[in-house]
Amino acid sequence: MRSPALSRDRLHILIAVADRERHGYAILQDVRDRTDGQVLLSPSTLYSAIKRLLDEGLIEELDERPDPDHDDERRRYYRITKAGRHAVAEEARRLQQLLADARATGLLSKRA
Amino acid sequence: MTEDRPRPSRAARLYRRLLRLYPAEFRRAYARELSLVFEDCWRDAASLRQRLGFGLRAMTGVLTEAPKAQKEELDVLRHDIRHAFRYMRKEAATTIAIVALLALGMGSATLIFSFANGLFLRPLPYPDADRLVAVDEYSPTDPHEFGDMSAPNYADVRAGTHLLADIGLYTAGTVTLRGDAPAERVRAGQVTDGVFRVLGVAPVLGHTFTPLEDVAGAPRVAIIGEDLWRSRYGGDPNILGRTLDTGNAVYRIVGVMPASFTFPDRSDVWFPRRLDLANETRTDYNSEVIGRLAPGATVKTATDEVGALLTAIHHAHPDADNGWHARVRPLRDVLTADYRAVVTMLLIAVGLLLFIACTNVSNLLLAKASGRVREMAVRRALGATRSRLVRQLVVESLVLAMAGGSLGVLLAYVGVPALLGLVPVDLPAWMNFAVDGRVLIFAGAVSLVTSLVFGVAPSLGASSGDLTPVLRDGDRAGSHGGGHRLWRNGLVIAEVAISVLLLIGAGLMLRSFVAIRTQVLGYDPAQVLSLVVDYPEKRYPSGAPARALLRELSSRLSSLPGVTSVAFGTGIPLQDGWSRIFTIEGRPVPLEKMPFVNHVVVSPGYFRTLGIPLVRGRDFSDADYQVPHVIVVAQAFAAKYWPGENPIGKRVRFGPPAANGVWHEIVGVVGDTRHGHITGEENPTVYLPYGAYNGEVVPNAVIIKTTADPAALARDARERITAFDSTLAVTAVRSLGEVIDRATWRDRLVAWLVGGFALMALGLAAAGLYGVLAYTVSLQTREIGIRMALGASAGAMRQLLMRRGLALTGIGLGIGLAVAFALVRLLASFLYRVSPTDVLTFTIVPAILLAVGLVASAWPARQATRVDPLVALRHD
């Protein structure tokens, strides 16, 4: 079964919660750091995406708990699901294919 | 939450406020997280520029995302509703059954609520009607004696009160309009000027009474209603100053009241109630009093004040101290006092019926839900969250409930006029039972609650649980769940128990109604026509002229074909409530201890016409009408005051001792009758020959015994009277049978309604029982097939299923009987000569329930054992 294409924001969020579970602020930081500040999500964009990802079962919510590194406010943690990994892999393949097509037509240098 | 967390910055507070743009559900789920993330980012922004950039990003984020979320929310709802309609189309039969059940339950509930609304919720048609109060005096020892006030007491209360902003005295009656147009009897109010001020209604023309018009000797004036103004005076714009002729006096019309104003009750004409305090008796409790609470006053403080005033009055006039107290009550409570208990009972009955209907719906949905477990499992496997599925099911229930509710409102809309058509009397004009906004809100709220009651349990069942067995095994895995079966059986037991409750209630009501209708009335109502003749006293003054008129009418009516006897009385049985206090010669009692009797003034032949037997002594003779001061008393009266003694020759007199009335000698004793009202305690009755009573009251009620159908006589009787003199007005032409119908309409209507609800409940319980058993059979077809293939006989299988059905019935019956037994005492006040634990009712109802249970179980059991084992084994 093919999943629908993932938007850039959603893909970034999935990647952020792929290696370990993170809460909302941690996701924003991770995306910012990974993209050198190129992708800055607003809290609203983040949670709209989280809600959709939850609805589609691509991520799951864990129990609320405080972040020991931050303060002792309770936060919700999210983690990628099996379906989420599957979707990311598929999206990556799709991007790879896109990249290959672009190279094949000479639009993109083969080394870039 | 920690206390040391810094107070959110101003930006964070602004951000939080901005989050209100999101739909509530999203906000509930994420608002806190969003604020937390915002505060973290805000704090961590290193520079002012970063901070400004983030702030701008966050705010625009909300402004772009919130509308999207709103739209999504709507889309989901729209989708759910579409899906619900699609599902309903697919399951048309189930849908129709559910909607019909709900319409029945909610229609009954809305119908009864419309009546409750008209009585207790819809404001009375006066401004600030909740400040209106009735003031009356009552006997603290005898609950039957209350309700009126004497004019002198009223005048003293009016002079002394501060907590009643205004106060007025009135009596309701009738008047015959004569003059240019044919004689016409209309309802009239005799009111003091205060009554209009208290009620706060202005005339459409002219003015209401002034204090000057209330005093004795003032010019005669009258106010007419808009309807009468149009019908009798052609809406004459120059009506003010025209006259109104009653044949006894001529009144100048000074005002026209709007059609909506009919106080005290359907009045078309108002006359000033003149207080002639010098000649009014303090113990003559003949008028009603209304008032308006002053700002800041309450019913309680006003009662205290009026109570203190009455105590002072009794101190000042010890001869008028009858020991009664005074009270102030909200006008609406007084007007609706007779209906409160019975409407509450009906509301409970429809509530129970609605619950049974919901139970059946719930059972239907549960049966469907187990079929849908697979659908739900598939959708969950495809990623739908549980809350999303529950929501879908809730939307479905809501759509069903709304459909049922709308039909229910329609039923009420049609049912209210239909039920009112069964009421043989004119209800007070302020009672308005139309379906209004309040009724619609009620229906909406009931739809909502019922959809939760019947819809949520199946939803939770269908969307929960472990999915794997469902996907593997199909429908049966989901439906075999012990939880579902327990729930379904519980519902059927509840249905049976509630129908037992309703049937017991209905049975008792029915028994009570039969007791009312079959009781010994003491007279023979068959083939008796009654009517009231109103004659102008000016033309036929009390005494010889009036007696001559009665004799003339009597002979004219007697000559009608089939008429065997004619008599006059001051009241038609069951419509007469004139009671007076009296003293027995040689046994003086103080005023406050004086008992009441029904006081009936009659013409010769009264007892014969009504078939009241003479027990002792003699009937009135013609001579008695010339030489007054003899009376005939009812048996109960004689037995109460002269037990074991001969009452003939004893003497009594009427009125308070101070009035020093004449002594009347008892010459005869007749059988007891139901004279004043058809149920309840009744005062004993004494009869006076017209002529013996030296007041102004003339017996104007006519009773005619015929050998034919009394209704056929009605027109001729009316014509005979008006042909003799066109100023005579004939009203209330009814057979005594109709009079009894009118006196018992409430008991009849309640018995019918409760009976109808109980029968519906019984039908629903039977259908519920059948449904559950049939469904069980359909699920166990395979098991039954295996057992039968292994040699179990069809009879044994049938017995197994029958046992299950009867067990459910039995448990429900047991619970229902126990609850009924505990609760029936609450019905005692509605019952007449029937014990709340009536053996007959408590025997027949269980028998009916068991029979219904047997039939409802026998059918599915038969079906099951007809199954071909081979087919059953293939059955999935």
Side-chain angles (χ1 to χ4, degrees):
Chain A
M1 188 176 56
R2 290 182 67 86
S3 341
L6 289 167
S7 72
R8 183 200 67 173
D9 294 349
R10 278 146 53 92
L11 194 54
H12 277 304
I13 295 169
L14 281 175
I15 292 166
V17 294
D19 58 339
R20 64 188 180 92
E21 55 210 45
R22 286 181 209 269
H23 55 69
Y25 181 53
I27 297 174
L28 284 191
Q29 283 177 315
D30 182 66
V31 174
R32 187 192 62 200
D33 295 346
R34 265 192 291 110
T35 61
D36 280 338
Q38 291 301 304
V39 177
L40 292 172
L41 298 177
S42 80
S44 293
T45 325
L46 173 69
Y47 278 97
S48 295
I50 284 180
K51 178 173 184 293
R52 216 161 307 146
L53 291 170
L54 279 171
D55 284 348
E56 291 166 11
L58 301 184
I59 60 172
E60 61 191 345
E61 193 176 308
L62 303 163
D63 292 340
E64 279 188 23
R65 62 167 189 271
D67 174 0
D69 301 336
H70 211 70
D71 55 32
D72 50 4
E73 191 81 41
R74 297 183 70 83
R75 285 151 196 284
R76 274 187 225 160
Y77 281 76
Y78 301 97
R79 182 172 67 192
I80 198 161
T81 61
K82 223 166 152 182
R85 282 186 193 288
H86 187 75
V88 173
E90 202 172 308
E91 186 65 24
R93 265 200 301 280
R94 205 162 16 223
L95 290 174
Q96 237 163 13
Q97 185 61 49
L98 204 65
L99 215 57
D101 290 349
R103 282 190 181 124
T105 52
L107 280 173
L108 206 61
S109 112
K110 296 203 173 178
R111 300 201 157 234
Chain B
M1 269 291 169
T2 52
E3 277 114 47
D4 51 354
R5 190 175 173 85
R7 202 167 156 272
S9 63
R10 198 178 303 172
R13 286 203 303 275
L14 176 68
Y15 185 73
R16 228 175 264 182
R17 216 165 297 151
L18 213 55
L19 291 181
R20 290 191 199 147
L21 292 173
Y22 276 105
E25 203 187 342
F26 188 95
R27 228 166 40 228
R28 255 196 310 280
Y30 298 109
R32 186 175 158 274
E33 299 287 314
L34 277 165
S35 309
L36 277 178
V37 171
F38 180 89
E39 281 170 49
D40 291 338
C41 292
W42 188 257
R43 206 178 34 246
D44 290 358
S47 64
L48 182 65
R49 194 163 150 262
Q50 269 183 11
R51 196 168 264 202
L52 279 178
F54 168 71
L56 197 66
R57 201 161 60 240
M59 306 285 174
T60 44
V62 174
L63 291 179
T64 53
E65 291 298 320
K68 278 192 219 160
Q70 292 278 12
K71 185 172 170 296
E72 242 167 66
E73 189 94 341
L74 268 180
D75 285 346
V76 168
L77 188 66
R78 219 172 293 146
H79 170 268
D80 283 351
I81 291 176
R82 243 197 330 268
H83 189 277
F85 275 110
R86 215 168 27 235
Y87 180 73
M88 282 162 63
R89 253 205 312 279
K90 206 176 94 199
E91 298 282 349
T94 313
T95 304
I96 290 172
I98 288 174
V99 172
L101 282 169
L102 291 174
L104 194 75
M106 289 199 239
S108 308
T110 312
L111 181 68
I112 297 303
F113 179 80
S114 299
F115 285 99
N117 177 41
L119 286 168
F120 310 117
L121 299 177
R122 193 189 272 263
L124 293 175
Y126 310 106
D128 285 329
D130 55 338
R131 304 291 292 164
L132 294 175
V133 292
V135 185
D136 72 349
E137 298 178 48
Y138 66 98
S139 161
T141 50
D142 183 351
H144 297 290
E145 297 302 337
F146 66 92
D148 296 323
M149 201 164 206
S150 71
N153 284 356
Y154 156 77
D156 289 342
V157 168
R158 185 183 60 179
T161 181
H162 298 290
L163 298 180
L164 295 174
D166 230 318
I167 179 168
L169 174 96
Y170 67 93
T171 50
T174 52
V175 67
T176 304
L177 307 181
R178 299 185 169 87
D180 323 334
E184 178 184 3
R185 196 164 165 89
V186 297
R187 295 200 198 216
Q190 269 203 318
V191 300
T192 62
D193 62 308
V195 167
F196 293 103
R197 282 199 311 275
V198 166
L199 295 173
V201 180
V204 288
L205 276 179
H207 64 81
T208 56
F209 299 134
T210 64
L212 286 179
E213 285 161 344
D214 272 0
V215 294
R220 292 178 192 279
V221 291
I223 292 172
I224 61 173
E226 203 175 342
D227 288 340
L228 187 71
W229 175 46
R230 297 196 192 285
S231 63
R232 196 172 172 91
Y233 298 91
D236 179 7
N238 300 314
I239 184 73
L240 302 182
R242 276 185 69 176
T243 56
L244 182 146
D245 186 354
T246 64
N248 293 316
V250 175
Y251 299 82
R252 190 166 54 83
I253 296 171
V254 296
V256 177
M257 292 306 286
S260 58
F261 183 84
T262 59
F263 188 87
D265 183 27
R266 295 177 182 273
S267 295
D268 282 309
V269 181
W270 294 268
F271 301 106
R273 167 69 161 92
R274 302 208 160 106
L275 299 183
D276 184 7
L277 293 178
N279 295 312
E280 306 236 23
T281 316
R282 221 169 249 289
T283 47
D284 220 350
Y285 302 95
N286 56 9
S287 303
E288 295 181 68
V289 176
I290 50 166
R292 184 175 280 280
L293 291 175
T298 63
V299 165
K300 170 83 180 66
T301 57
T303 294
D304 291 346
E305 186 196 56
V306 173
L309 287 170
L310 188 70
T311 307
I313 291 169
H314 285 164
H315 274 301
H317 307 274
D319 55 329
D321 184 357
N322 58 358
W324 282 25
H325 295 185
R327 65 187 164 187
V328 171
R329 292 178 296 166
L331 181 62
R332 181 200 289 282
D333 290 2
V334 175
L335 293 177
T336 57
D338 289 349
Y339 297 91
R340 194 164 287 275
V342 72
V343 171
T344 308
M345 180 197 63
L346 287 175
L347 279 174
I348 292 172
V350 289
L352 292 177
L353 180 66
L354 181 61
F355 181 79
I356 294 196
C358 286
T359 309
N360 271 19
V361 171
S362 195
N363 254 333
L364 272 171
L365 285 178
L366 274 174
K368 287 289 151 196
S370 22
R372 293 186 84 178
V373 168
R374 197 187 178 117
E375 173 198 337
M376 295 296 155
V378 170
R379 288 182 62 184
R380 277 198 78 179
L382 291 179
T385 58
R386 180 160 183 224
S387 69
R388 180 77 190 69
L389 293 183
V390 167
R391 197 175 137 150
Q392 166 70 54
L393 290 168
V394 167
V395 166
E396 273 174 33
S397 319
L398 261 178
V399 169
L400 285 172
M402 288 296 165
S406 313
L407 269 181
V409 169
L410 204 69
L411 265 180
Y413 193 76
V414 180
V416 168
L419 268 187
L420 287 177
L422 296 178
V423 177
V425 300
D426 287 336
L427 291 173
W430 62 265
M431 290 187 186
N432 181 347
F433 303 116
V435 172
D436 61 4
R438 227 169 283 111
V439 174
L440 293 180
I441 289 172
F442 170 83
V446 168
S447 303
L448 210 76
V449 172
T450 48
S451 76
L452 292 181
V453 171
F454 74 72
V456 165
S459 330
L460 294 180
S463 61
S464 70
D466 186 8
L467 305 176
T468 327
V470 178
L471 287 174
R472 196 180 54 227
D473 296 346
D475 294 356
R476 281 179 305 113
S479 51
H480 272 274
H484 262 205
R485 192 163 66 207
L486 211 64
W487 178 248
R488 253 199 309 275
N489 288 346
L491 288 182
V492 167
I493 289 171
E495 278 188 71
V496 172
I498 288 173
S499 20
V500 170
L501 268 183
L502 284 173
L503 280 172
I504 294 271
L508 291 173
M509 293 290 175
L510 199 70
R511 292 265 290 147
S512 167
F513 178 63
V514 170
I516 291 171
R517 290 307 298 254
T518 54
Q519 69 180 320
V520 177
L521 293 169
Y523 43 81
D524 178 13
Q527 295 169 327
V528 176
L529 184 72
S530 67
L531 53 89
V532 175
V533 181
D534 184 56
Y535 38 86
E537 283 145 39
K538 203 171 164 190
R539 195 162 169 146
Y540 303 102
S542 192
R547 274 205 296 279
L549 171 70
L550 297 195
R551 259 198 305 278
E552 179 63 36
L553 292 181
S554 184
S555 79
R556 279 169 174 265
L557 291 169
S558 299
S559 66
L560 280 168
V563 171
T564 54
S565 110
V566 176
F568 292 80
T570 34
I572 295 165
L574 304 178
Q575 297 191 334
D576 192 28
W578 187 20
S579 45
R580 297 189 77 194
I581 46 179
F582 69 95
T583 317
I584 294 166
E585 193 176 27
R587 300 187 204 169
V589 269
L591 179 64
E592 70 268 20
K593 297 236 172 74
M594 286 179 77
F596 284 80
V597 280
N598 284 326
H599 180 278
V600 189
V601 179
V602 300
S603 76
Y606 182 84
F607 302 121
R608 186 163 26 102
T609 309
L610 282 177
I612 300 172
L614 184 70
V615 179
R616 199 165 204 171
R618 64 174 178 85
D619 191 355
F620 295 125
S621 69
D622 276 345
D624 295 329
Y625 295 89
Q626 316 297 330
V627 186
H629 315 322
V630 294
I631 55 172
V632 168
V633 299
Q635 250 174 318
F637 184 80
K640 185 165 176 190
Y641 296 104
W642 295 277
E645 253 185 278
N646 185 357
I648 306 289
K650 305 286 195 246
R651 301 208 303 169
V652 296
R653 71 177 180 189
F654 303 98
N660 217 7
V662 286
W663 292 103
H664 297 263
E665 186 186 328
I666 298 173
V667 294
V669 178
V670 292
D672 291 318
T673 60
R674 274 273 165 205
H675 186 78
H677 30 82
I678 197 147
T679 59
E681 289 284 309
E682 185 154 39
N683 292 322
T685 305
V686 300
Y687 301 90
L688 292 83
Y690 173 47
Y693 177 67
N694 48 5
E696 308 102 50
V697 172
V698 172
N700 63 354
V702 186
I703 41 175
I704 307 169
K705 179 84 175 178
T706 84
T707 53
D709 176 17
L713 199 67
R715 216 184 59 195
D716 287 346
R718 185 191 288 270
E719 269 170 14
R720 281 283 159 102
I721 295 169
T722 51
F724 168 69
D725 180 348
S726 67
T727 65
L728 301 180
V730 178
T731 52
V733 187
R734 297 182 190 108
S735 70
L736 266 198
E738 277 176 73
V739 171
I740 293 168
D741 275 351
R742 288 165 64 90
T744 53
W745 71 269
R746 251 191 4 204
D747 300 278
R748 186 175 55 240
L749 197 62
V750 169
W752 273 108
L753 278 174
V754 179
F757 296 149
L759 281 185
M760 285 194 245
L762 181 65
L764 292 180
L769 188 62
Y770 168 83
V772 164
L773 289 178
Y775 183 66
T776 313
V777 168
S778 78
L779 289 179
Q780 296 181 349
T781 304
R782 179 140 81 172
E783 182 192 331
I784 293 167
I786 292 173
R787 286 200 189 191
M788 283 172 67
L790 290 178
S793 73
M797 290 315 303
R798 218 174 358 243
Q799 264 185 18
L800 187 78
L801 285 162
M802 292 286 292
R803 257 209 304 278
R804 185 173 295 171
L806 285 182
L808 292 177
T809 314
I811 296 171
L813 186 59
I815 295 174
L817 283 176
V819 175
F821 201 76
L823 292 183
V824 275
R825 252 151 281 275
L826 301 176
L827 282 181
S829 66
F830 300 109
L831 300 181
Y832 182 65
R833 295 188 182 169
V834 175
S835 155
T837 50
D838 179 47
V839 175
L840 191 66
T841 310
F842 273 85
T843 314
I844 288 182
V845 168
I848 293 177
L849 248 301
L850 279 179
V852 167
L854 260 175
V855 174
S857 337
W859 187 253
R862 235 166 79 100
Q863 295 298 101
T865 49
R866 284 186 166 180
V867 167
D868 177 353
L870 284 178
V871 176
L873 288 173
R874 277 200 300 273
H875 183 92
D876 189 33

